[in-house]
Amino acid sequence: MSYKVTLIPGDGIGPEVALAAKKCLEATGVKFQWEEVIAGSAALEQYNTPLPDYVLKSIRKNKLAIKGPIITPVGTGFRSVNVALRQELDLFACLRPIKSIPGVVSRYQNVDFVIVRENTEDLYAGIEFESKKPAAKKLISLIEKLQPKKIDHDSAISIKPISPKCSKRIVEFAFEYAVKNDRKKVTAVHKANIMKFTDGLFLETARKVAKKYAGKIAFEDAIVDNLSMQLVKNPRNFDVLVLPNLYGDIISDLGAGLIGGLGLAPGANIGKNIALFEPVHGAAPKYAGLNKVNPTATILSGVLLLRHIGETKAANALEMAVSDVIREGKYVTYDLKADRNDPTAVGTQQMAEAIIDRLKRG
């Protein structure tokens, strides 16, 4: 059997880490047919849009995609292609495992929890009104008529929608993931003590869903700021975290820090019939073309792809090969060396080749 997969190389270091992951996936013996498409800066130059329609058509057709990171301008420019992909394809669940890898220099060892982030609403829904524009002024006037609080009339406004439907399906996803993967506890993360109607709805929905799993999976909730402290104090107290969109993004980076950095953090975006896999880290354009950066996060995103399609044996073998190479510490990129200036550090593709060699040796 051969799997058709849309491959989006991405921006900056994206093409390099995507190539490394592609080679490692092929080395497992699983057959793939790759359909390469471009999105991001390269697409903007060629098609005058960072997300051409043909990219979405390819993913909808193949049902599977893997991508390198894509640049998201800060403050100006086009909106995030990553967010647009998730919303256009209704990839409502963002899965980000946070798992220690032996051999990685880190303050913590034996960390193993999973972040399940809602992907389609919250502040990332993109409902914003620019400061001083007529729409913002009109909205501020309307808000002041509906409630007593005053808003500065030159404010920019973002709207945070949280719905019962989206909250229910992401919490159900988290519990089902826990059941299928022998996890013991789900923690719903929120700020319902302050945002009583939005985060309050998310928490109320989570509590209702949790009742269906009583006796199978334990349930608790945590306020997001306290959770951040608790994760730093003892991350091993947590198992599966389910969070609204913004908190999920922030806690993902915190979690990556617990295991050694973003270069080790894989991700998956999963919908009803479509799944897209990508590393958590950004495009790091200053390293583009230098064959220098760590490909682990993208390769491990490929491991998630293999698990998603039921190729469990291949997934386990590739994950073990990555772990073995990192634990040995010989053929790894500079960031995985005890001394980042270690002259024995290898490049992106050389580390991928070492993983492939270990995979073939079994």
Side-chain angles (χ1 to χ4, degrees):
M1 180 178 180
S2 181
Y3 299 94
K4 294 181 179 180
V5 181
T6 299
L7 175 65
I8 307 171
D11 294 326
I13 61 170
E16 295 166 71
V17 294
L19 175 61
K22 177 184 175 183
K23 291 192 294 188
C24 288
L25 283 168
E26 290 175 339
T28 64
V30 177
K31 302 297 183 184
F32 294 99
Q33 295 180 47
W34 305 100
E35 184 175 355
E36 186 170 326
V37 297
I38 61 170
S41 298
L44 189 60
E45 292 179 9
Q46 187 170 339
Y47 298 101
N48 203 33
T49 173
L51 185 57
D53 287 341
Y54 90 105
V55 174
L56 295 170
K57 289 178 181 178
S58 173
I59 299 172
R60 289 189 176 109
K61 178 186 67 176
N62 295 327
K63 311 298 184 187
L64 293 170
I66 188 165
K67 63 179 283 293
I70 290 175
I71 292 170
T72 300
V74 177
T76 59
F78 60 82
R79 277 194 175 275
S80 168
V81 171
N82 301 321
V83 173
L85 282 166
R86 295 164 194 163
Q87 292 179 344
E88 288 290 331
L89 300 169
D90 198 26
L91 305 175
F92 67 90
C94 182
L95 186 68
R96 291 179 170 175
I98 304 296
K99 186 176 181 181
S100 296
I101 301 176
V104 174
V105 177
S106 175
R107 294 179 182 271
Y108 303 87
Q109 297 299 322
N110 302 314
V111 174
D112 185 5
F113 64 89
V114 177
I115 291 169
V116 177
R117 167 191 174 192
E118 202 286 322
N119 250 350
T120 62
E121 50 181 14
D122 194 5
L123 288 170
Y124 278 31
I127 307 170
E128 291 195 294
F129 297 83
E130 188 176 351
S131 170
K132 300 178 182 178
K133 294 293 184 180
K137 292 179 179 179
K138 185 175 181 180
L139 179 60
I140 290 169
S141 297
L142 176 60
I143 291 171
E144 289 181 339
K145 290 177 183 177
L146 296 174
Q147 51 87 44
K149 294 183 180 179
K150 296 295 181 182
I151 301 173
D152 287 344
H153 282 207
D154 59 354
S155 296
I157 302 288
S158 288
I159 293 180
K160 170 178 171 151
I162 300 284
S163 69
K165 171 191 169 183
C166 292
S167 298
K168 181 174 183 286
R169 69 180 181 176
I170 196 63
V171 177
E172 287 179 339
F173 182 96
F175 273 96
E176 285 300 312
Y177 180 90
V179 170
K180 292 174 184 175
N181 292 275
D182 198 29
R183 297 281 177 166
K184 306 302 181 187
K185 181 175 68 173
V186 170
T187 303
V189 183
H190 60 89
K191 190 68 176 175
N193 57 324
I194 303 298
M195 284 170 276
K196 299 182 183 297
F197 300 128
T198 49
D199 286 30
L201 186 151
F202 180 82
L203 177 57
E204 178 187 3
T205 303
R207 286 171 172 164
K208 288 179 181 177
V209 172
K211 291 178 181 178
K212 297 190 295 184
Y213 296 87
K216 295 180 182 178
I217 304 294
F219 174 74
E220 65 180 10
D221 69 273
I223 296 173
V224 64
D225 43 339
N226 180 261
L227 172 83
S228 300
M229 179 191 70
Q230 296 296 336
L231 281 171
V232 172
K233 288 181 65 177
N234 193 350
R236 288 174 286 276
N237 283 345
F238 298 95
D239 199 351
V240 176
L241 306 177
V242 59
L243 313 90
N245 207 336
L246 178 61
Y247 307 149
D249 193 13
I250 295 168
I251 297 300
S252 291
D253 277 30
L254 190 158
L258 299 177
I259 60 170
L262 290 171
L264 303 166
N269 300 282
I270 301 171
K272 186 176 180 181
N273 298 308
I274 298 172
L276 181 152
F277 302 84
E278 62 183 352
V280 174
H281 62 70
K286 70 177 182 178
Y287 293 112
L290 299 182
N291 187 39
K292 184 175 182 178
V293 298
N294 183 354
T296 301
T298 313
I299 295 170
L300 291 179
S301 297
V303 169
L304 295 180
L305 186 157
L306 289 168
R307 294 199 195 288
H308 180 77
I309 60 179
E311 296 287 353
T312 305
K313 184 177 178 181
N316 292 342
L318 180 53
E319 184 176 29
M320 182 60 69
V322 171
S323 181
D324 287 347
V325 168
I326 291 175
R327 183 172 56 249
E328 185 181 71
K330 186 176 181 181
Y331 299 105
V332 295
T333 50
Y334 75 99
D335 58 308
L336 294 173
K337 293 287 189 178
D339 176 2
R340 293 169 72 92
N341 295 312
D342 189 332
T344 67
V346 302
T348 307
Q349 303 311 319
Q350 288 68 41
M351 183 173 173
E353 292 298 334
I355 292 168
I356 291 168
D357 180 63
R358 184 58 59 93
L359 183 63
K360 289 179 177 179
R361 286 192 279 130

